[in-house]
Amino acid sequence: HRCGFRAMGAGDGPRRVRVAFVGSPGAGKSSVQMRYSSRGFRDSLRLLAADAFAEPREVLGEQVMLEFWDTCEVEPRLRQFNYALASVVALCFSLADPATLDAAAAVYAAQAAQYCPGVPLVLVGTQADRLATCGDARVTPARMREVARSIAAAKTVTCSSATGEGVDEAIAVLTQVGLEHERGLAPPQAQRFAQRLAQRFGCLVS
């Protein structure tokens, strides 16, 4: 069966930049995508990997196809597809819930290292609008920098899907980091990686 993986090479059209959003349930990863893609916000929202978003945009002087893939939480095996051919991994956590930052480092950064080694990580602090009401139960900038160093994150960003503040900037950072990674990945390497995925999951690669 065909899983939709595609290794892009010269002459294949715009380069693809795929952002894999991962993080604890309730960390706000789906809301960030919804705010950016539809300029809307829902407090309760769940997207699956199949609900991918794609749009063309220009980054660093190059036309690219930006894609979002959300975490599929149906079964652990399907979660691996969320990392397939990722250009950058968005490790999402709630600024109002330190436990979600711990999980981003201990669980999701480890998964990224296993399923897409070498792909850059970006720490994305969400729900910034809740900082004013969460008291001491918050993630401090110092703690965020500490975790970023421990997992060798390429960048850190913060945003609020409820207000929209920082969302466009966060997506811009993710896209730029992903594009820089893709520019450093030669087409033969991408093709070989796609073929390994096909063999592992029994898929066809176009």
Side-chain angles (χ1 to χ4, degrees), residues 19 21-22 26-36 39-41 68 90-97 100 122-132 139 144 155-174:
V19 183
F21 287 84
V22 301
K29 55 189 178 294
S30 298
S31 294
V32 171
Q33 298 167 73
M34 182 61 69
R35 167 61 76 169
Y36 179 81
R39 300 300 172 184
F41 171 74
F68 294 165
L91 297 172
C92 299
F93 68 94
S94 171
L95 290 163
D97 185 354
T100 61
V122 173
L123 269 180
V124 181
T126 67
Q127 302 174 356
D129 55 289
R130 298 186 181 181
L131 287 173
V139 174
M144 188 173 175
K155 296 283 185 179
T156 61
V157 294
T158 61
C159 61
S160 167
S161 300
T163 66
E165 181 179 359
V167 170
D168 286 353
E169 292 80 0
I171 298 301
V173 168
L174 288 163

Side-chain angles (χ1 to χ4, degrees), residues 6-9 85 182 185-196 205:
R6 181 172 175 80
M8 302 298 290
L85 298 183
E182 288 293 328
L185 186 65
Q189 290 177 293
Q191 183 64 43
R192 286 196 296 270
F193 181 47
Q195 289 170 348
R196 287 199 300 270
V205 178

Side-chain angles (χ1 to χ4, degrees), residues 29-191:
K29 55 189 178 294
S30 298
S31 294
V32 171
Q33 298 167 73
M34 182 61 69
R35 167 61 76 169
Y36 179 81
S37 62
S38 67
R39 300 300 172 184
F41 171 74
R42 278 183 280 174
D43 196 41
S44 178
L45 178 67
R46 178 167 169 240
L47 300 177
L48 298 180
D51 299 319
F53 161 82
E55 74 164 11
R57 63 179 300 174
E58 185 173 327
V59 184
L60 300 176
E62 180 178 344
Q63 191 73 16
V64 303
M65 181 61 69
L66 174 64
E67 299 180 353
F68 294 165
W69 274 45
D70 204 343
T71 303
C72 183
E73 304 205 27
V74 176
E75 62 175 277
R77 180 179 179 275
L78 295 179
R79 193 175 301 124
Q80 301 177 27
F81 287 100
N82 193 51
Y83 296 96
L85 298 183
S87 309
V88 59
V89 176
L91 297 172
C92 299
F93 68 94
S94 171
L95 290 163
D97 185 354
T100 61
L101 176 58
D102 295 339
V107 178
Y108 297 99
Q111 286 182 2
Q114 178 182 358
Y115 298 130
C116 54
V119 171
L121 310 177
V122 173
L123 269 180
V124 181
T126 67
Q127 302 174 356
D129 55 289
R130 298 186 181 181
L131 287 173
T133 59
C134 67
D136 293 333
R138 64 172 63 195
V139 174
T140 65
R143 176 58 178 159
M144 188 173 175
R145 290 192 297 269
E146 178 186 357
V147 170
R149 285 193 299 269
S150 73
I151 62 173
K155 296 283 185 179
T156 61
V157 294
T158 61
C159 61
S160 167
S161 300
T163 66
E165 181 179 359
V167 170
D168 286 353
E169 292 80 0
I171 298 301
V173 168
L174 288 163
T175 306
Q176 181 172 335
V177 171
L179 176 57
E180 290 172 347
H181 173 71
E182 288 293 328
R183 284 178 170 177
L185 186 65
Q189 290 177 293
Q191 183 64 43

